[in-house]
Amino acid sequence: MQRKEQTFGKYRLGKTLGKGYQAKVKICYAPNNKVYAVKIFKRTHSEEKNTKALIQEAGHLTQLKHENLVNLVEILKKEQYIKKNGETYYTMGIVLELCTKGELFDYLLHSGKFTEEQTRYYFKQLISGLQYLHTNNVCHRDLKPENILLDENFNLKIADFGFSARLDGKDGSGFLKSSLGTEGYMAPEINEKKAYIGSAVDLFSAGIILFIMFTGHPPFHKALDSDPYYKLLITDRNSTFWEAHSRNKEKGFFSNDFMNLINSILAYEPQNRITLAELISHPWMKGKCSSNAEIKAAFATRHKQVVEKMDEEKKKKQAEKQNKDNQEISIETNDNENKDKLKQGGNNIIYAAKNKFRSVEDSSQAEIDNLIATYNLKVERFVAPYNEQEDFKQNDIFLNLQPDQILLTLLKHQNEFSQKIALSNDTYKLKCCKTDQNGELVEFNIEIKKNEESNISVITFNKKSGDYYQYLEIVKQIHTFLEA
């Protein structure tokens, strides 16, 4: 008989809030009925690997407590996890404050940019949390709207300390070397694989978030001289940078103080960037700021919009899945071997057994043959190695499937995420593009790599041009059908 309730140690578990490579996050209820969020580490990873990830994320939080951080409640080193189906196993977890109003990212995506007063309110809270971290010798290294949550009063909380580190570095030199973070928010020195100062890269990411909150879009795609927008800042053509961003905006949208602050935060050379102490006393920071009452009123309306749009998306995906299920084509084979697998040609393209990889299995033989012929899939391709320490990005997808299977599935679903697709002749790299709802082109690359240590395939994404939020929506679509 199926259990109606699942538990993790002393906590009763509620709905799932999110899933990642290392763990999933669920609502949990303490014996005193207080509500928290719990990150439960997956048993598919070794205990050593889970322990390392737990220490990485929770280690710094044990010494920290601030109103603008998602604070640690408890570390669960080994607790029994009882699932709904009655299955049980022991694993580790982290209990954290629950932020009921969701990610800052969803408000920007579904309800649009903020007013200058609202932007200032949230940026001050972000800087307050950041200053506390840096004062306590901790840098975050992955600041972005997805890692900023809002509590029940719509106050900002910095979350996800999985990439956090000591500011003084492992060797005490004050420099860090690991290339970590999310591409669109990384400082140029990280993109260029240089040693860097943790406080400087955190502040750089905060500046990008500031720009996005106020405009609804990022200032550039990637902080490198190959990026046309960031190159303007590198080459001291700041006026041209602001002229470009002022198009399609009302006259005087950017104040001189705002432009000066962004220029100071996003400077190419770390030593030329404004410090936290200087930022706090900057003229823009002293402008009119929304009150908490004003934020509560405005963001209650925004929250309703966010929930409605997310519900619409969920229903749309459910309808699409139902439609797909109704149109499934079963593949019948005549011999016992082909009931277990489909093998094309004499090369290394082997497709999955029944129920192991439905996206491929549900294709008709004619469709498979057509894709193989169109994209010359019988050729042997080089699989690039994936180094988790150096290559990991938030949107990566980890699948226990062969690269050929994943490639075929991507090609089968290509019309769902790309209007035009180009496959490399000798690697598992796809160049894709799609026109977003505003008529602008979003260009991005997908590459299938292999983690040689675990023998897991990894699908990586790299945005080349276009709106960042529309790009993330496309990536979410791909996650949906690959992880089905």
Side-chain angles (χ1 to χ4, degrees), residues 191-258:
N191 286 321
E192 294 171 355
K193 311 294 184 185
K194 296 177 180 177
Y196 57 89
I197 299 169
S199 56
V201 301
D202 274 353
L203 193 53
F204 191 93
S205 301
I208 295 174
I209 295 168
L210 168 61
F211 190 96
I212 292 172
M213 286 194 292
F214 187 46
T215 66
H217 60 80
F220 40 76
H221 302 306
K222 191 173 182 179
L224 284 171
D225 61 3
S226 58
D227 183 283
Y229 282 95
Y230 194 63
K231 189 170 185 176
L232 295 174
L233 297 182
I234 294 175
T235 54
D236 294 324
R237 289 180 287 168
N238 297 40
S239 59
T240 307
F241 173 87
W242 290 106
E243 285 170 13
H245 279 298
S246 294
R247 293 173 195 148
N248 303 318
K249 293 182 176 68
E250 61 267 29
K251 189 176 181 180
F253 180 83
F254 295 113
S255 67
N256 288 333
D257 285 341
F258 182 84

Side-chain angles (χ1 to χ4, degrees), residues 444-456:
F444 58 98
N445 293 340
I446 302 172
E447 185 167 9
I448 305 164
K449 299 182 178 182
K450 196 82 167 180
N451 187 324
E452 294 174 352
E453 180 184 339
S454 62
N455 205 33
I456 295 287

Side-chain angles (χ1 to χ4, degrees), residues 78-223:
K78 193 172 185 180
E79 295 290 344
Q80 187 179 42
Y81 178 24
I82 304 178
K83 303 179 76 172
K84 278 186 178 180
N85 61 8
E87 182 185 0
T88 68
Y89 59 87
Y90 284 85
T91 187
M92 55 193 70
I94 305 170
V95 182
L96 301 158
E97 286 182 317
L98 176 66
C99 294
T100 58
K101 300 305 182 184
E103 297 176 5
L104 186 72
F105 172 85
D106 290 322
Y107 289 84
L108 291 164
L109 177 64
H110 296 302
S111 71
K113 62 185 175 66
F114 303 166
T115 67
E116 190 161 17
E117 291 80 8
Q118 292 167 349
T119 300
R120 194 175 281 113
Y121 177 88
Y122 281 120
F123 190 63
K124 282 186 173 183
Q125 291 194 338
L126 176 59
I127 293 304
S128 177
L130 206 53
Q131 185 181 36
Y132 174 80
L133 285 177
H134 293 176
T135 300
N136 285 276
N137 195 34
V138 176
C139 59
H140 189 279
R141 297 199 295 183
D142 197 22
L143 289 173
K144 57 184 176 179
E146 296 95 316
N147 286 342
I148 295 173
L149 306 180
L150 301 184
D151 68 12
E152 67 277 7
N153 294 313
F154 296 102
N155 283 313
L156 179 149
K157 299 266 191 177
I158 299 172
D160 199 340
F161 286 78
F163 287 168
S164 61
R166 291 172 56 93
L167 271 180
D168 56 6
K170 289 181 180 178
D171 58 3
S173 66
F175 285 92
L176 304 169
K177 297 173 184 176
S178 299
S179 182
L180 295 172
T182 299
E183 193 172 75
Y185 298 87
M186 287 180 180
E189 53 269 34
I190 299 181
N191 286 321
E192 294 171 355
K193 311 294 184 185
K194 296 177 180 177
Y196 57 89
I197 299 169
S199 56
V201 301
D202 274 353
L203 193 53
F204 191 93
S205 301
I208 295 174
I209 295 168
L210 168 61
F211 190 96
I212 292 172
M213 286 194 292
F214 187 46
T215 66
H217 60 80
F220 40 76
H221 302 306
K222 191 173 182 179

